Amino acid sequence: MAQVVLKNVTKSFGAVEVIKGINLHINDGEFCVFVGPSGCGKSTLLRMISGLEDTTSGTIDIDGRDVTGEEPSKRGIAMVFQSYALYPHLSVRDNIGFGLSLAKLPKAQIKAKVEEAAEKLQLTHLLDRKPKALSGGQRQRVAIGRSIVRDPKVFLFDEPLSNLDAALRSQMRMELTDLHAELGATMIYVTHDQVEAMTMADKIVVLNAGRIEQVGSPMELYDHPASPFVAGFIGSPKMNLYDGEIARRMGCSTYGIRPEHIALGTEGPWGGTVKHIERLGADTIVHMDSPEVGQLVARIAGDRPVRIGDMFRAAPMTGKEHRF
Amino acid sequence: MTRRQFWTGIVALAVSTVLFIIPFVFIAIIAVKDKREASRMGFDWPDSWHFWSNLVEVVEARNYMLLLAYFNSTVITVGAVTVLVVLGAMVGYVLQRRDSKWNSLIWAGVMSGLMIPPAVVPTIWVLQELHLFKTIHGMILIHVAYGLSFAILLFRSFISTIPRDLDEAAIIDGAKPLQIFFRVVLPLLRPVTVTVIVVQSIAIFNDFTNALYYLPGRENVTVQLTLFNFQSQFTSQMNLLFMNILLITIPPLIVYMFFNRQIVAGMTAGAVKG
Ligand SMILES: Nc1ncnc2c1ncn2[C@@H]1O[C@H](COP(=O)(O)OP(=O)(O)O)[C@@H](O)[C@H]1O
Ligand SMILES: [Mg+2]
């Protein structure tokens, strides 16, 4: 197993600098998630680690070895694509074994390895089908199987779940987490979905416009966001963020408070009228208009009665406020 | 089936009967007549049947020339189509996948191959210089040169429907460029390959003028040129000529009937299904 170290890595497409100097240390066996808005350079960074994209400057080490100029297949990595990228003309068995047959392994050994991987992913009964006869989740498993048989030091995933429906996605999240626990391999996972990042990661790397905003465990980022960008990106519903005059009154340039850290009642510094209600069952998300701060979102218990037009006073919980 | 579809079907059948079936029946009728009756070129039922004797006479004519012609035409067709498919697919693949500053220049060359008509006499000079004139492999190269632009065009546009992810997955699996091409891309090109094979092999097998210009010589005869055997300034043996036509029309017809389904399937299917 292996650690991945990026030093001053940059990437330009022509005159456009897409990755602007990344320094990052991913530990052995860690599940590391790159998260950020669309177009911030997550895929590009992952493809640079895989070797599909070359680096403009800086170095990439995998397992203590500088692989910056190395071919993808020599780096000890495996990659799962968003589109799965299964070979349509090959059966599941041949898809999984493709890399091994290129490496000219003996047939019996390929068969054993493919069947072991298929066992692990509950694909045994599908081995002789073609990809087009599989469901989305099964295709995803085949793509993962194809990466497992290569025994890579590092697994790379580029938004592997974004083509699946919500129920399947949460199931696959758990399966991937289990797989990580079972294999103990280093995994790097790209997503734009902060829920995936929060639920799966050991370490989250928040990227914004080609730079790292913050690195930390999910709860570190949730409790101590280093910038308004991270504060707004991590957590759902989004943190209430205020700048300008409102923040200046609080003694900072940006003031933030999470919806779950606002107490609604008869007391508090801010008034508010309920404009819109989202009932999630256990919780209710209340969107309010406030004369003091403008828009305000709060999370309250699901069993508490609330109606559009209700008036509340809102109080931020002390110690839960964020000042930037 | 609606009324409208029914009548369109009837009209289509009628038109294709006039255009294709009637001439073919005419050929077949003349081919079984005897010499005297055939020379009247009438569209009437033969008085006496000479199918077998005409057939034997055509095959044996001029020391079994027709068999030699079949052999030559087959070698030319198979050779040229094989090279066309392999080259067309490879060039199309590189042009579609690799960004290079030469691409627009190469593409302009491919396009001019489609647009600029070939000049016969200079081509013969070049062939003579290269010692390819009057040779079968020279003829194969001529057909490759004439057909390559169209093949590249077809392959390139088809390859653009194959996701790049597949190439990249293969790279990560450790495939070298040639392995990516032969083990991942080429198998997916099957529909467009069938189209190229059928269209080009029929065109090349039926080619008359190019063989006439570039491949003179008794030992180099191709099937279309055997028609000269029975047609001269003074005597024409119409029954044998039409039997000959019948015989050399059959192979392309078989190819077409055999691949018909696959052509249609290939035209309606994308490279990567669902
Ligand atoms: N091959 C390329 N050529 C030019 N620009 C590119 C290329 N690939 C990506 N980009 C640009 O790089 C930026 C980051 O892309 P990407 O890494 O795919 O973002 P993400 O995966 O975070 O959505 C985008 O602005 C995109 O337009
Ligand atoms: Mg992306």
Side-chain angles (χ1 to χ4, degrees):
Chain A
M1 299 303 132
Q3 42 182 314
V4 179
V5 181
L6 308 185
K7 287 190 202 118
N8 295 318
V9 170
T10 70
K11 174 76 190 178
S12 304
F13 289 112
V16 189
E17 194 171 41
V18 175
I19 300 293
K20 299 166 183 160
I22 298 270
N23 286 292
L24 184 63
H25 191 117
I26 299 165
N27 289 322
D28 188 16
E30 205 163 40
F31 198 116
C32 176
V33 175
F34 295 171
V35 68
S38 184
C40 70
K42 309 177 294 288
S43 299
T44 307
L45 190 58
L46 192 76
R47 289 163 57 82
M48 287 162 78
I49 297 173
S50 74
L52 289 173
E53 209 81 70
D54 49 2
T55 45
T56 306
S57 71
T59 60
I60 297 171
D61 288 15
I62 294 176
D63 200 15
R65 196 165 59 92
D66 184 352
V67 296
T68 315
E70 199 65 275
E71 274 175 48
S73 58
K74 305 270 168 63
R75 293 188 176 200
I77 50 109
M79 187 154 169
V80 175
F81 294 82
Q82 178 174 0
S83 63
Y84 319 135
L86 302 180
Y87 312 118
H89 57 298
L90 299 181
S91 65
V92 169
R93 180 188 298 281
D94 293 339
N95 260 283
I96 297 178
F98 187 72
L100 303 178
S101 82
L102 286 176
K104 303 235 156 45
L105 255 63
K107 286 231 162 58
Q109 205 176 332
I110 296 179
K111 189 165 185 289
K113 283 194 136 198
V114 167
E115 276 165 12
E116 187 192 332
E119 185 81 30
K120 218 174 259 174
L121 297 161
Q122 295 118 47
L123 288 169
T124 310
H125 60 296
L126 302 173
L127 275 177
D128 295 313
R129 289 208 198 161
K130 291 276 172 67
K132 67 167 178 273
L134 302 180
S135 71
Q138 290 166 338
R139 285 179 204 184
Q140 184 64 78
R141 284 212 191 89
V142 176
I144 294 171
R146 190 169 62 184
S147 60
I148 289 180
V149 289
R150 307 190 62 233
D151 282 330
K153 297 174 191 150
V154 181
F155 284 85
L156 308 174
F157 297 92
D158 191 353
E159 312 216 11
L161 305 185
S162 54
N163 287 343
L164 303 178
D165 61 46
L168 203 53
R169 207 179 307 162
S170 72
Q171 184 196 333
M172 286 303 290
R173 279 209 296 263
M174 277 187 284
E175 286 187 20
L176 277 176
T177 319
D178 289 347
L179 189 74
H180 176 240
E182 188 183 334
L183 299 175
T186 312
M187 294 191 175
I188 305 177
Y189 186 104
V190 162
T191 179
H192 63 269
D193 180 359
Q194 59 93 23
V195 177
E196 274 177 28
M198 290 295 282
T199 50
M200 300 170 78
D202 296 322
K203 175 190 269 175
I204 296 180
V205 178
V206 183
L207 291 172
N208 184 23
R211 282 186 219 289
I212 294 184
E213 284 278 335
Q214 190 175 359
V215 180
S217 72
M219 288 317 285
E220 270 165 30
L221 298 196
Y222 179 81
D223 289 333
H224 307 289
S227 65
F229 179 84
V230 177
F233 199 82
I234 301 289
S236 171
K238 242 169 86 89
M239 182 188 283
N240 296 291
L241 286 169
Y242 305 104
D243 50 12
E245 184 55 36
I246 301 163
R248 220 165 3 262
R249 262 187 272 134
M250 314 276 190
C252 55
S253 64
T254 305
Y255 173 85
I257 181 75
R258 293 198 185 277
E260 49 272 45
H261 298 149
I262 291 177
L264 292 188
T266 52
E267 285 167 42
W270 307 322
T273 314
V274 176
K275 295 282 292 179
H276 184 73
I277 302 169
E278 290 174 67
R279 294 190 193 281
L280 304 178
D283 304 311
T284 299
I285 312 297
V286 183
H287 298 253
M288 296 193 295
D289 266 350
S290 159
E292 288 88 358
V293 293
Q295 298 276 338
L296 185 66
V297 180
R299 183 201 288 268
I300 58 175
D303 51 6
R304 196 165 146 192
V306 57
R307 264 183 317 210
I308 290 176
D310 285 356
M311 307 261 274
F312 287 107
R313 300 298 296 176
M317 297 177 190
T318 48
K320 298 290 189 187
E321 295 159 295
H322 300 277
R323 292 186 164 82
F324 303 104
Chain B
M1 194 159 49
T2 65
R3 243 186 126 71
R4 200 189 138 121
Q5 281 168 332
F6 177 76
W7 285 112
T8 349
I10 294 290
V11 169
L13 273 180
V15 169
S16 48
T17 305
V18 172
L19 285 183
F20 301 109
I21 308 283
I22 290 181
F24 196 79
V25 170
F26 182 70
I27 292 170
I29 286 178
I30 303 277
V32 297
K33 290 178 174 175
D34 66 18
K35 187 176 176 205
R36 184 200 305 264
E37 207 188 348
S39 65
R40 287 203 305 271
M41 299 289 278
F43 203 158
D44 53 353
W45 202 247
D47 297 335
S48 53
W49 288 69
H50 300 278
F51 176 79
W52 188 248
S53 59
N54 285 351
L55 181 75
V56 171
E57 199 169 339
V58 167
V59 172
E60 285 178 348
R62 303 186 69 184
N63 196 14
Y64 293 97
M65 193 188 233
L66 186 64
L67 296 187
L68 176 66
Y70 265 123
F71 176 77
N72 286 342
S73 280
T74 309
V75 169
I76 292 172
T77 306
V78 170
V81 168
T82 310
V83 178
L84 269 176
V85 166
V86 173
L87 274 188
M90 285 180 135
V91 175
Y93 178 65
V94 172
L95 274 180
Q96 207 284 320
R97 285 295 203 257
R98 203 172 292 167
D99 288 324
S100 115
K101 55 179 193 273
W102 296 104
N103 272 10
S104 51
L105 195 70
I106 297 170
W107 191 239
V110 171
M111 278 302 157
S112 55
L114 277 181
M115 290 181 294
I116 302 175
V120 175
V121 176
T123 311
I124 292 179
W125 291 339
V126 173
L127 288 175
Q128 279 173 334
E129 282 303 306
L130 297 173
H131 303 290
L132 291 172
F133 189 53
K134 296 192 197 175
T135 61
I136 297 280
H137 44 284
M139 193 67 232
I140 291 178
L141 290 179
I142 291 281
H143 281 301
V144 169
Y146 286 178
L148 193 58
S149 293
F150 184 57
I152 292 174
L153 194 76
L154 280 184
F155 277 113
R156 193 186 104 120
S157 65
F158 194 86
I159 288 167
S160 69
T161 68
I162 299 177
R164 257 170 214 261
D165 282 2
L166 288 184
D167 303 38
E168 295 184 339
I171 291 175
I172 291 200
D173 273 340
K176 302 272 174 303
L178 279 179
Q179 289 175 316
I180 301 176
F181 180 76
F182 281 107
R183 297 189 56 171
V184 177
V185 176
L186 198 57
L188 297 176
L189 297 181
R190 199 187 139 101
V192 69
T193 305
V194 170
T195 308
V196 169
I197 289 178
V198 172
V199 170
Q200 295 289 358
S201 61
I202 290 177
I204 294 172
F205 193 86
N206 284 343
D207 171 55
F208 180 79
T209 46
N210 292 313
L212 190 63
Y213 299 150
Y214 304 120
L215 202 58
R218 238 187 89 83
E219 69 285 5
N220 291 330
V221 68
T222 64
V223 284
Q224 303 299 325
L225 295 182
T226 58
L227 296 179
F228 279 139
N229 283 352
F230 307 104
Q231 200 175 21
S232 62
Q233 211 172 342
F234 306 110
T235 59
S236 287
Q237 293 163 288
M238 284 306 170
N239 53 341
L240 301 185
L241 177 63
F242 277 73
M243 176 54 82
N244 199 343
I245 292 178
L246 202 61
L247 288 179
I248 65 180
T249 316
I250 286 171
L253 206 65
I254 292 175
V255 170
Y256 190 77
M257 286 194 302
F258 185 71
F259 282 108
N260 189 12
R261 275 161 170 271
Q262 298 195 41
I263 298 176
V264 175
M267 301 248 180
T268 51
V272 180
K273 278 184 221 135

